[in-house]
Amino acid sequence: ACDVCDEDFFLVLGEAQASTKACKSCPAPPSSPQGGVVSFTCGVDTRIGSLNVSSGWWRASNASSTLFACKVMGDEWSPCRGGVDSSEDGNALCHPFYEGPKCEVCTNTTDNGIRYFLNSKARCQACDRPAESVMLLVGLLFTAGALGLD
């Protein structure tokens, strides 16, 4: 028997042969800020592990067909870059220095020090460095004192 699913269908993991029951319809994209952008594509012979996830979407693993819409900014940048390989934890769908659910966890492996995810920009931002903040505060207090603004 042939184990290939037609276009717009994918073969479910663990099924030995494609049949009416083993080939599942590619789901329509859920409502999202992307305005109905296709979440993934299913060509002929697509399997659950080879679903091509579009940029702006995330899934937890190669065994999952459930997709989650990621944050997308006006410039159409998203921390979720998409792709075929989701890895075991979904992190392979994230841009470098991003990980976790919907790629909203910042890795702290850059020269910018500790970073956090800023929802309003859908990007990781560097945390203020305490020493810099203290020096700025001391400078402002010194300036205010020198100008007689206390």
Side-chain angles (χ1 to χ4, degrees):
C2 184
D3 62 350
V4 175
C5 294
D6 200 1
E7 188 171 9
D8 297 327
F9 293 86
F10 65 93
L11 185 64
V12 176
L13 185 67
E15 299 289 343
Q17 298 175 348
S19 67
T20 306
K21 294 179 182 176
C23 289
K24 303 290 183 184
S25 177
C26 281
S31 298
S32 73
Q34 292 95 318
V37 172
V38 175
S39 51
F40 59 79
T41 56
C42 294
V44 173
D45 195 25
T46 297
R47 298 167 186 270
I48 195 165
S50 65
L51 293 172
N52 189 6
V53 179
S54 298
S55 175
W57 295 91
W58 181 86
R59 66 178 176 157
S61 74
N62 285 342
S64 175
S65 62
T66 302
L67 296 180
F68 298 91
C70 299
K71 300 256 186 233
V72 176
M73 293 313 300
D75 61 0
E76 297 184 15
W77 187 88
S78 172
C80 303
R81 66 179 172 185
V84 174
D85 182 19
S86 302
S87 68
E88 291 181 8
D89 54 12
N91 289 340
L93 295 175
C94 302
H95 278 286
F97 310 115
Y98 294 82
E99 64 185 15
K102 300 193 289 183
C103 307
E104 293 183 5
V105 176
C106 304
T107 60
N108 293 312
T109 56
T110 68
D111 293 338
N112 294 338
I114 298 173
R115 302 176 324 135
Y116 68 98
F117 190 80
L118 184 60
N119 277 320
S120 63
K121 294 186 177 181
R123 294 186 187 266
C124 290
Q125 300 290 313
C127 294
D128 291 332
R129 295 184 177 145
E132 291 175 3
S133 297
V134 169
M135 292 302 289
L136 179 61
L137 181 60
V138 168
L140 288 173
L141 290 174
F142 179 75
T143 302
L147 297 173
L149 298 175
D150 20 78

